[in-house]
Amino acid sequence: MTRILFKRFLSSAFLILLIASGAAAHHGWSWAEADQIELKGVIRDIFIGPPHPTLDVETANDGMWHIELANPSQTRRAGFVEGSAKVGDEIVALGNRSTDPKEKRMKAVRISVSGKTFDLYPERIKTN
């Protein structure tokens, strides 16, 4: 009986740890500035997968940037799927940069690659 209770305790503890780590990984927008910037550059790396697809983009004047897209399902709904872009493609990204000025990181709301635009967070796009 004690062995069964111990196994249940371990299983419950593991489940709680899994849920807590997933919540910590999903950080929302709190790390990003309210104002949006436009970033132009060349894609140097692409990752399509959870928790967020990402692009590493090299700019002409500011070096390498890490760009987070929406969660995989939302990114796919926006039309950006594997094969939509490749390393070496030019990109224009609109989004919110990190509040840490030393960090070259952006949460994209819209990206444009090879003349095609992908609205990742249409409700967040600020236009003039």
Side-chain angles (χ1 to χ4, degrees):
M1 183 72 162
T2 304
R3 187 178 204 144
I4 292 172
L5 288 175
F6 183 68
K7 284 185 177 180
R8 285 186 183 165
F9 171 77
L10 283 179
S11 295
S12 297
F14 180 71
L15 181 61
I16 289 169
L17 182 64
L18 249 154
I19 292 169
S21 66
H26 191 269
H27 42 71
W29 295 80
S30 62
W31 59 271
E33 292 181 352
D35 292 336
Q36 293 180 344
I37 64 168
E38 187 175 89
L39 190 71
K40 296 178 183 181
V42 177
I43 298 172
R44 295 298 179 208
D45 190 43
I46 301 173
F47 170 75
I48 302 288
H52 295 278
T54 60
L55 304 170
D56 288 336
V57 175
E58 186 175 10
T59 66
N61 299 324
D62 207 19
M64 194 69 70
W65 280 73
H66 187 71
I67 300 179
E68 286 188 14
L69 307 181
N71 69 58
S73 297
Q74 194 167 339
T75 298
R76 198 171 28 258
R77 279 194 303 274
F80 191 83
V81 296
E82 195 141 354
S84 295
K86 63 186 181 313
V87 171
D89 283 349
E90 291 187 11
I91 183 173
V92 177
L94 175 69
N96 304 73
R97 75 167 294 157
S98 172
T99 56
D100 180 351
K102 296 177 190 163
E103 187 176 38
K104 294 178 185 174
R105 179 176 166 209
M106 169 195 276
K107 180 77 169 186
V109 296
R110 170 185 281 162
I111 59 172
S112 298
V113 182
S114 302
K116 182 150 170 76
T117 299
F118 304 92
D119 290 339
L120 304 163
Y121 292 98
E123 71 284 0
R124 288 187 169 266
I125 296 170
K126 296 177 183 175
T127 56
N128 295 339

